[in-house]
Amino acid sequence: QVQLVESGGGLVQAGGSLRLSCAASGRTFSDYAMGWFRQAPGKEREFVAAISWSGGDTYYAGSVKGRFTISRDNSRNTVYLQMNSMKPEDTAVYYCAASWNKNLSPTSYYRPSEYAYWGQGTQVTVSS
């Protein structure tokens, strides 16, 4: 079992920045690929970013590429999402997720079904 706890959400003005953190416990963190997803009211959960277990590969949704950066610190069992140049459409509950599969294909990182463990979510609100 893996427990994931997100933090760092809040209210920010358009153009501003936030950094989300996701602390993991329970099993060897470096064995997991990690992802960030978000869900806005009335919408389906969507992929935001993901990072391989080693940190060597990263993946981004087109809507956030160039603005958001995912990273991980395996010594701290933590994955981060740095969000810059934020827009009102970034408003959502953000979830981190962990995948036990170390052999994910590039397209698999984008699928919520590939992630077995999820955090409780943290609210991010961007005002215009």
Side-chain angles (χ1 to χ4, degrees):
Q1 285 287 348
V2 175
Q3 291 78 44
L4 303 173
V5 179
E6 303 98 335
S7 61
L11 174 65
V12 64
Q13 288 189 331
S17 299
L18 279 177
R19 188 176 82 154
L20 304 183
S21 300
C22 174
S25 62
R27 296 188 74 166
T28 304
F29 180 68
S30 60
D31 285 345
Y32 290 89
M34 300 296 296
W36 285 97
F37 292 77
R38 67 186 182 187
Q39 188 166 18
K43 295 188 176 181
E44 293 188 355
R45 191 168 298 190
E46 65 173 0
F47 171 80
V48 177
I51 188 167
S52 61
W53 64 271
S54 67
D57 297 299
T58 56
Y59 305 87
Y60 296 94
S63 58
V64 308
K65 198 167 187 178
R67 300 188 297 122
F68 290 10
T69 302
I70 189 171
S71 61
R72 67 188 296 160
D73 185 341
N74 287 346
S75 68
R76 296 178 181 270
N77 291 353
T78 302
V79 62
Y80 304 97
L81 185 69
Q82 178 67 44
M83 305 184 291
N84 298 329
S85 303
M86 297 187 71
K87 304 175 181 180
E89 50 264 43
D90 294 322
T91 296
V93 177
Y94 283 69
Y95 300 89
C96 73
S99 173
W100 180 241
N101 186 350
K102 296 184 75 171
N103 297 308
L104 287 172
S105 64
T107 56
S108 296
Y109 282 90
Y110 295 79
R111 293 197 289 262
S113 60
E114 294 290 346
Y115 298 82
Y117 305 102
W118 293 81
Q120 82 290 348
T122 185
Q123 176 70 47
V124 171
T125 303
V126 185
S127 63
S128 57

